[in-house]
Amino acid sequence: MSDKEKAVRKLWRRKALRGIDFLTAKNLLAARASSHLHHGYTISIVEDGVLPMTFREFKLNLKPGDFLLLGPEVPHGFNFSSNVGGCSYRTVFVKEDYLSDDLRQNISAEAATISCFSDHALWEDYLNIQRGVEAGSQSDIDGIIRSSERLLSHMPDCVLSRMVVKSSHILAVKEYLKENYASAPNIEALAEIAHISPFYLMRLFKEEIGLSPHAYINQLRVNKAKEMMAEGLPLLQITYELGFTDQSHFSKTFLRITGVNPARYGNMKRESHRQ
């Protein structure tokens, strides 16, 4: 494979666009297999090839012309294989607080929703807008939020599945972690909150959430770290406020989850991660 064909993942931002991140992935033949969550609502499109998505209950092959719309509580991963081939795709991450009031109200029930629809004309237009934002086009920078909101408004009408947490034990733990993830409580403490055994909590949490309790806590901490970096807080302060043991621990966790070094992300620079 030539240098031009090497796989690259870039997580990047534009300073003028608060509350929105971008992922550009080129020539992927493999990707992280473990399930993960994203920060805010996401819109994914494929430029070339097929993106084999895996969810708790089913699989989905995303193709050019398709839009995949995910709520922030949807765990998912990838299942690349030799018969699928390479893939290039883009994802836009929009934080809920930066959506218009009307849209926030309309999709308030979609936090755990997987939605998908196909529209080749819209897909081509949205792809060109993302390319324009990446190239620094002011008109596309001004229009990306409006375009993203129009697409997210489709969520209630094209639902494939809702990942509902049914267990009261897990709901109690999830609610607790929303406010206490920085303290990184251990499994024994969480089991006491859930009133079940640690072993049963581990198994039930993975079934209901799609991640282990430890992985879920780290997702929440990294998501909060992104917000703090966007506010200009120093990495050392973020490290200790979010309960990481040291800056190396924070950097490794952030890199593993996002594919980008936090120092580069915090400086608003594009980051290329060759696989």
Side-chain angles (χ1 to χ4, degrees):
M1 182 178 288
S2 68
D3 287 342
K4 189 178 292 187
E5 295 172 324
K6 284 183 179 178
V8 177
R9 290 181 76 252
K10 290 192 304 187
L11 181 65
W12 54 280
R13 293 189 288 159
R14 282 291 180 193
K15 192 171 184 177
L17 290 169
R18 289 182 59 81
I20 185 166
D21 289 352
F22 299 86
L23 171 68
T24 304
K26 300 285 187 181
N27 305 316
L28 294 190
L29 292 170
R32 53 185 173 177
S34 58
S35 291
H36 55 281
L37 301 168
H38 285 311
H39 193 207
Y41 289 87
T42 62
I43 306 166
S44 294
I45 59 173
V46 172
E47 287 192 71
D48 182 62
V50 175
L51 182 63
M53 304 288 298
T54 60
F55 301 95
R56 223 169 48 197
E57 301 166 355
F58 64 94
K59 298 178 181 179
L60 172 69
N61 287 331
L62 199 68
K63 305 178 297 298
D66 297 340
F67 288 93
L68 178 65
L69 314 173
L70 299 181
E73 298 180 11
V74 177
H76 57 282
F78 306 101
N79 184 33
F80 283 89
S81 60
S82 58
N83 62 331
V84 172
C87 172
S88 297
Y89 73 96
R90 292 173 178 266
T91 297
V92 175
F93 311 84
V94 186
K95 194 171 183 293
E96 184 178 2
D97 293 348
Y98 290 87
L99 297 172
S100 67
D101 291 341
D102 287 344
L103 179 60
R104 241 191 347 259
Q105 183 176 353
N106 289 341
I107 64 173
S108 60
E110 314 305 331
T113 293
I114 304 164
S115 299
C116 187
F117 72 97
S118 298
D119 187 313
H120 198 276
L122 275 179
W123 168 84
E124 188 171 22
D125 182 57
Y126 198 58
L127 175 58
N128 287 333
I129 289 173
Q130 288 189 57
R131 288 172 173 168
V133 173
E134 197 168 9
S137 163
Q138 191 58 53
S139 62
D140 290 319
I141 291 172
D142 292 340
I144 186 68
I145 286 288
R146 291 192 299 273
S147 297
S148 298
E149 287 197 338
R150 282 197 294 271
L151 291 168
L152 290 173
S153 69
H154 288 270
M155 289 189 78
D157 303 319
C158 54
V159 174
L160 293 181
S161 181
R162 298 183 190 275
M163 292 194 164
V164 179
V165 177
K166 300 176 182 178
S167 167
S168 60
H169 303 293
I170 302 306
L171 285 172
V173 171
K174 188 179 176 185
E175 196 63 30
Y176 176 81
L177 289 177
K178 283 182 181 179
E179 303 297 330
N180 297 278
Y181 55 84
S183 63
N186 60 33
I187 191 65
E188 288 76 16
L190 294 177
E192 287 187 17
I193 293 167
H195 303 294
I196 54 179
S197 72
F199 176 79
Y200 185 46
L201 172 62
M202 289 281 289
R203 183 168 67 83
L204 189 59
F205 197 96
K206 186 69 180 290
E207 288 177 0
E208 292 277 328
I209 302 296
L211 301 168
S212 70
H214 178 70
Y216 184 73
I217 290 169
N218 278 337
Q219 288 274 181
L220 295 178
R221 294 158 95 193
V222 166
N223 287 349
K224 182 61 178 179
K226 289 180 181 179
E227 294 181 17
M228 296 170 77
M229 280 186 279
E231 294 169 1
L233 296 178
L235 294 184
L236 190 61
Q237 179 182 344
I238 294 170
T239 294
Y240 292 112
E241 285 194 14
L242 294 183
F244 292 98
T245 55
D246 53 39
Q247 200 163 332
S248 174
H249 179 211
F250 167 56
S251 295
K252 288 177 181 177
T253 303
F254 194 96
L255 177 62
R256 184 176 68 251
I257 289 175
T258 68
V260 64
N261 186 290
R264 294 292 185 91
Y265 179 88
N267 287 329
M268 305 279 187
K269 293 180 180 178
R270 299 178 189 177
E271 172 83 359
S272 296
H273 178 63
R274 295 190 180 273
Q275 299 184 335

